[in-house]
């Protein structure tokens, strides 16, 4: 049949198209065209790949290249069929710019975003409202608004929270991603009516080129050439709104500015950010007081981006050139572990001391590891016979709103794993000794859950404390090693009788410490261990006891034997032998 494109979306350097209810990917920089992969994995055989017809793809693009978390937004894409019931909808998401999709369910938490759905009321057919995926917005629908026909949706760039809905006769705007905001209820939109219908066609699209300037693009087909020209129609929406017939008042504010406008800041848990702005009222008008406002993000448990808007309450339409001030917050940190002085070596792992599969099973051959000195520096020092744990320190680059550097010792819970598979260490506490009320997680269970995706996948997203009253995994094996360090316990690492270098991966798993995935790699040199005995300790003790008794017996018997007749002959033999050797020399 004739191919029909029902949706298109740019994700970075990739153009996604829905053609005949299937998703296709075109990388216009590499000139590469392919269909979205319908892969199935052993872990999720029924959740991978698009398996139902879809009509639309949607997503957003980050405008701030310096923030990795923001850049991940460009990789997140959704595919769905327009018009499905929410309870029966098949929604797919991709974190790879649309090359691979998985089915989206409320139980799966891979999507680091709060998802909002625009739903049409089946009872009151001409109304629509927002539905949300995350707490606390998921407890109720948003405020309903008029919806008499299908609307196209535009996400304004810049993570400003602006949603634009438009159709042939209406232009609706939500300035807060549908959430509760000043002057607008959650999901509430305001409409503007197009009186002149000569600019409209079924293929027309809208684009704001500047404040108050709306551009309507209409493709003009050429019967002799496959390319399209575009008819451009500029509408000065502001000029329409300040028509004297509307009797709009004069803007009472001359200037509103702040250094934080259109900038992205980093703020983490248990931190604070102070923003200031300058407002100059118009002469002859009463100044509008600015109120100091405090925002708390205690209920946000995942890393996210929040947009704060500073605007004039109930401002007149004539204040359109007085742009609201916005700032965005993301999160990035690093972990640094102090090093010590020690000669740097090329460690060799004996086959009986490591497992490349991290299952604690002996390998079949020795492993020679070249120590990455440029990356790790010289290792820490640890005496093998003293329980040990590292002291991780948190290093934050100097933010814009602070002076100097900030550094602290991490008291939160964290986990370690030797990157080469060494298993010649254990932990000083068991699950029972750590006071666990539920069976604690360990590297084996985490690796089984992660499958083949990653060996070092224990982090704040999947960690559950065994002290959490809401964690109901029964404590079946209280004697297993407790593999979490830091936090409320005094758990430590206990090394076997072995000298050598250990290269540890460390991950902060406490979800209440930071939004960031704090992890790094460091090394420790374990010293002071004597070589292991070839014989069992029991045999060695027995032989030493026998040798000691024999020595004591000989020390007593030899002087006694030297005083009898045979002893004198033996003594004379050695005297004569000594004299002959002396003459020969």
């Amino acid at each position: 049949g004739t191919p029909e494109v029902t949706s298109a979306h740019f994700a970075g350097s990739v153009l996604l198209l829905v053609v005949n209810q299937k998703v296709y990917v075109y990388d216009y920089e590499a000139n590469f065209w392919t269909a979205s992969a319908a892969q199935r994995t052993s872990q999720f055989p029924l959740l991978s790949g698009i398996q139902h017809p879809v009509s639309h793809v949607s997503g957003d693009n980050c405008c701030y290249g310096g923030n990795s978390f923001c850049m991940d937004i460009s990789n997140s894409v959704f595919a769905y069929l327009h018009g499905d019931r929410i309870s029966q909808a098949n929604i797919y998401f991709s974190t790879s710019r649309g090359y691979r999709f998985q089915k989206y369910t409320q139980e799966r938490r891979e999507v680091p975003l709060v998802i909002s759905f625009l739903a049409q009321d089946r009872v009151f057919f001409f109304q629509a409202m927002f539905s949300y995926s995350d707490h606390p917005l998921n407890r109720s629908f948003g405020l309903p608004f008029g919806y008499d026909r299908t609307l196209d949706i535009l996400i304004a760039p810049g993570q400003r929270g602006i949603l634009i809905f438009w159709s042939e006769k209406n232009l609706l705007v939500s300035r807060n991603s549908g959430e509760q905001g000043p002057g607008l209820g959650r999901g509430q939109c305001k409409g503007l009516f197009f009186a002149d219908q000569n600019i409209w066609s079924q293929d027309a699209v809208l684009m704001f080129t500047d404040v108050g300037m709306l551009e309507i693009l209409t493709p003009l087909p050429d019967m002799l050439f496959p390319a399209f020209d575009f008819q451009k129609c500029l509408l000065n929406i502001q000029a329409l709104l300040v028509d004297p017939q509307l009797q709009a008042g004069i803007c009472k504010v001359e200037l509103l500015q702040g250094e934080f406008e259109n900038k992205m800041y980093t703020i983490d848990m248990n931190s604070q950010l102070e923003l200031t702005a300058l407002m100059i009222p118009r002469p002859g008008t009463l100044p509008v007081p600015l109120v100091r406002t405090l925002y708390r993000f205690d209920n946000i448990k995942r890393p996210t981006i929040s947009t704060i808007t500073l605007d004039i309450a109930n401002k007149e339409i004539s204040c359109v050139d007085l742009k609201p001030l916005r700032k965005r917050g993301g999160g990035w940190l690093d972990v640094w572990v102090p090093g010590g002085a020690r000669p740097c070596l090329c460690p060799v792992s004996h086959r009986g001391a490591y497992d490349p599969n991290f299952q604690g099973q002996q390998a079949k051959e020795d492993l020679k590891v070249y120590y990455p000195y440029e990356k790790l520096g010289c290792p820490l020092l640890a005496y093998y016979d003293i329980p040990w744990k590292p002291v991780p320190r948190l290093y934050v680059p100097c933010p814009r709103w602070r002076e100097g550097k900030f550094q602290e010792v991490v008291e939160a819970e964290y986990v370690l794993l030797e990157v080469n598979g060494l298993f010649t260490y254990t932990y000083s506490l068991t699950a029972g000794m750590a006071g666990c009320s539920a069976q604690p997680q360990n590297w084996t269970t985490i690796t089984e859950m992660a499958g083949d995706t990653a060996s070092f996948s224990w982090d704040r997203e999947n960690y559950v404390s065994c002290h959490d009253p809401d964690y109901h995994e029964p404590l079946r094996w209280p004697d297993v090693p407790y593999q979490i360090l830091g936090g409320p316990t005094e758990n430590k690492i206990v090394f076997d009788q072995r000298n050598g270098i250990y290269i540890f991966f460390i991950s902060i798993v406490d979800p209440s410490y930071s939004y960031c995935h704090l992890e790094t790699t460091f090394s420790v040199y374990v010293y002071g261990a004597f070589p292991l005995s070839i014989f069992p300790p029991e045999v060695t003790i027995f032989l030493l006891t026998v040798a000691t008794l024999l020595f004591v017996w000989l020390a007593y018997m030899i002087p006694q034997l030297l005083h009898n007749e045979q002893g004198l002959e033996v003594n004379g033999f050695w005297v004569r032998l000594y004299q002959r050797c002396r003459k020969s020399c």
Side-chain angles (χ1 to χ4, degrees):
T2 303
E4 180 184 4
V5 179
T6 56
S7 182
H9 172 68
F10 283 97
S13 62
V14 170
L15 172 62
L16 298 175
L17 298 172
V18 179
V19 184
N20 290 1
Q21 298 186 329
K22 296 181 180 179
V23 178
Y24 293 88
V25 182
Y26 176 62
D27 189 328
Y28 53 84
E29 291 184 350
N31 194 24
F32 177 72
W33 172 273
T34 184
S36 180
Q39 298 181 356
R40 298 189 178 191
T41 64
S42 58
Q43 186 179 6
F44 301 108
L46 300 179
L47 296 178
S48 298
I50 297 178
Q51 302 172 13
H52 299 86
V54 296
S55 62
H56 285 72
V57 288
S58 63
D60 198 1
N61 283 279
C62 175
C63 298
Y64 304 91
N67 187 281
S68 60
F69 177 79
C70 182
M71 294 301 295
D72 290 340
I73 295 178
S74 303
N75 301 331
S76 299
V77 182
F78 287 85
Y80 52 93
L81 182 63
H82 200 181
D84 268 356
R85 292 178 178 269
I86 291 183
S87 59
Q88 302 173 357
N90 295 298
I91 303 173
Y92 298 90
F93 75 93
S94 171
T95 56
S96 59
R97 299 187 177 183
Y99 282 99
R100 293 177 302 277
F101 280 89
Q102 292 182 347
K103 192 170 183 180
Y104 171 78
T105 61
Q106 289 283 12
E107 291 75 18
R108 304 187 67 193
R109 308 304 298 170
E110 288 86 346
V111 185
L113 305 169
V114 177
I115 313 304
S116 61
F117 306 92
L118 178 61
Q120 188 173 9
D121 197 321
R122 292 290 183 179
V123 179
F124 303 97
F125 190 73
F126 296 110
Q127 287 188 342
M129 60 195 71
F130 282 98
S131 173
Y132 299 89
S133 62
D134 282 29
H135 177 83
L137 299 179
N138 59 355
R139 294 183 296 183
S140 62
F141 287 98
L143 298 179
F145 59 94
Y147 191 93
D148 60 351
R149 65 193 64 207
T150 301
L151 296 174
D152 289 299
I153 303 176
L154 173 65
I155 302 176
Q159 288 72 54
R160 297 174 180 267
I162 297 177
L163 299 178
I164 300 174
F165 307 86
W166 58 278
S167 65
E168 179 180 356
K169 296 194 175 187
N170 289 283
L171 176 65
L172 299 96
V173 180
S174 174
R175 297 185 298 175
N176 44 51
S177 299
E179 298 182 25
Q180 186 72 33
L184 281 179
R186 173 154 44 103
Q188 186 178 355
C189 300
K190 292 183 176 180
L192 297 173
F193 180 70
F194 289 144
D196 187 358
Q197 299 301 321
N198 296 328
I199 62 175
W200 177 262
S201 76
Q202 188 63 34
D203 298 324
V205 294
L206 303 182
M207 178 172 62
F208 280 95
T209 59
D210 202 348
V211 177
M213 296 300 298
L214 177 66
E215 184 177 79
I216 301 180
L217 297 177
T218 305
L220 300 176
D222 191 330
M223 301 301 297
L224 301 178
F225 195 67
F228 285 81
D229 287 330
F230 284 90
Q231 174 186 338
K232 295 184 179 181
C233 179
L234 286 176
L235 285 180
N236 190 336
I237 302 295
Q238 178 64 16
L240 298 176
L241 295 178
V242 297
D243 189 288
Q245 297 180 359
L246 297 179
Q247 297 181 356
I250 300 176
C251 185
K252 297 180 180 179
V253 178
E254 278 196 352
L255 179 67
L256 177 65
Q257 69 179 18
E259 294 183 355
F260 58 87
E261 182 178 6
N262 292 324
K263 293 181 180 179
M264 174 170 282
Y265 293 89
T266 297
I267 186 171
D268 202 6
M269 290 182 176
N270 308 313
S271 301
Q272 63 182 13
L273 169 64
E274 183 174 328
L275 304 173
T276 58
L278 172 66
M279 186 200 71
I280 301 178
R282 182 177 295 276
T285 62
L286 294 177
V288 181
L290 290 177
V291 180
R292 181 177 178 88
T293 305
L294 298 178
Y295 296 90
R296 294 183 64 89
F297 301 101
D298 295 340
N299 61 337
I300 301 178
K301 301 302 181 184
R302 292 189 295 166
T304 186
I305 292 180
S306 300
T307 300
I308 294 180
T309 302
L310 175 63
D311 202 356
I312 304 299
N314 302 319
K315 67 180 181 181
E316 294 79 6
I317 297 178
S318 57
C319 293
V320 66
D321 294 328
L322 196 67
K323 300 180 182 179
L325 306 180
R326 292 180 174 89
K327 77 96 187 173
R328 291 152 200 91
W332 178 83
L333 292 173
D334 195 8
V335 175
W336 175 75
V337 181
R342 191 67 184 181
C344 302
L345 311 172
C346 292
V348 177
S349 298
H350 190 267
R351 69 191 69 180
Y354 85 99
D355 178 11
N357 298 318
F358 302 96
Q359 299 296 323
Q361 305 295 325
Q362 295 184 1
K364 297 181 180 180
E365 58 184 13
D366 294 345
L367 174 67
K368 186 175 183 180
V369 180
Y370 292 95
Y371 184 81
Y373 176 78
E374 294 79 6
K375 177 182 178 181
L376 300 179
C378 287
L380 302 165
L381 294 177
Y383 184 66
Y384 90 98
D385 202 26
I386 299 178
W388 169 90
K389 73 173 183 179
V391 182
R393 295 185 181 182
L394 189 66
Y395 169 78
V396 183
C398 181
R400 293 190 182 96
W401 70 91
R402 281 188 184 154
E403 296 291 337
K405 296 181 181 180
F406 174 75
Q407 188 174 342
E408 70 177 11
V409 174
V410 177
E411 302 291 346
E413 294 172 307
Y414 59 92
V415 294
L416 300 177
L417 183 64
E418 212 289 324
V419 300
N420 297 307
L422 283 173
F423 52 81
T424 53
Y425 64 93
T426 185
Y427 299 85
S428 61
L429 298 182
T430 63
M433 296 167 60
C436 290
S437 58
Q439 192 67 41
Q441 295 173 309
N442 55 49
W443 280 107
T444 302
T445 58
I446 293 296
T447 304
E448 290 175 353
M449 285 177 17
D452 299 332
T453 57
S455 300
F456 308 95
S457 55
W458 202 351
D459 54 33
R460 66 181 303 274
E461 299 289 344
N462 55 16
Y463 171 68
V464 181
S465 173
C466 67
H467 304 98
D468 189 346
D470 296 329
Y471 184 43
H472 302 297
E473 186 70 23
L475 183 59
R476 297 188 179 93
W477 302 283
D479 295 330
V480 298
Y482 181 66
Q483 297 185 359
I484 296 94
L485 298 139
T489 69
E490 294 296 328
N491 197 20
K492 295 182 179 181
I493 295 290
V494 177
F495 293 102
D496 291 355
Q497 187 175 339
R498 175 187 179 274
N499 296 330
I501 293 180
Y502 293 76
I503 302 177
F504 282 109
F505 165 81
I506 180 173
S507 173
I508 309 298
V509 296
D510 188 345
S512 301
Y513 182 72
S514 172
Y515 295 120
C516 306
H517 289 265
L518 302 176
E519 56 189 36
T520 190
T521 305
F522 70 98
S523 60
V524 57
Y525 180 77
V526 178
Y527 68 99
F530 290 101
L532 292 175
S533 176
I534 302 177
F535 303 102
E538 295 81 3
V539 176
T540 303
I541 294 175
F542 174 78
L543 294 177
L544 287 175
T545 303
V546 172
T548 302
L549 294 175
L550 179 60
F551 177 79
V552 173
W553 182 80
L554 291 175
Y556 171 77
M557 291 300 299
I558 289 176
Q560 298 294 329
L561 293 175
L562 291 178
H563 291 83
N564 57 26
E565 182 178 356
Q566 295 179 344
L568 293 175
E569 292 179 357
V570 171
N571 186 41
F573 169 76
W574 287 109
V575 171
R576 290 191 295 270
L577 181 61
Y578 170 75
Q579 292 176 349
R580 291 178 183 176
C581 293
R582 187 176 180 181
K583 292 179 179 179
S584 300
C585 296

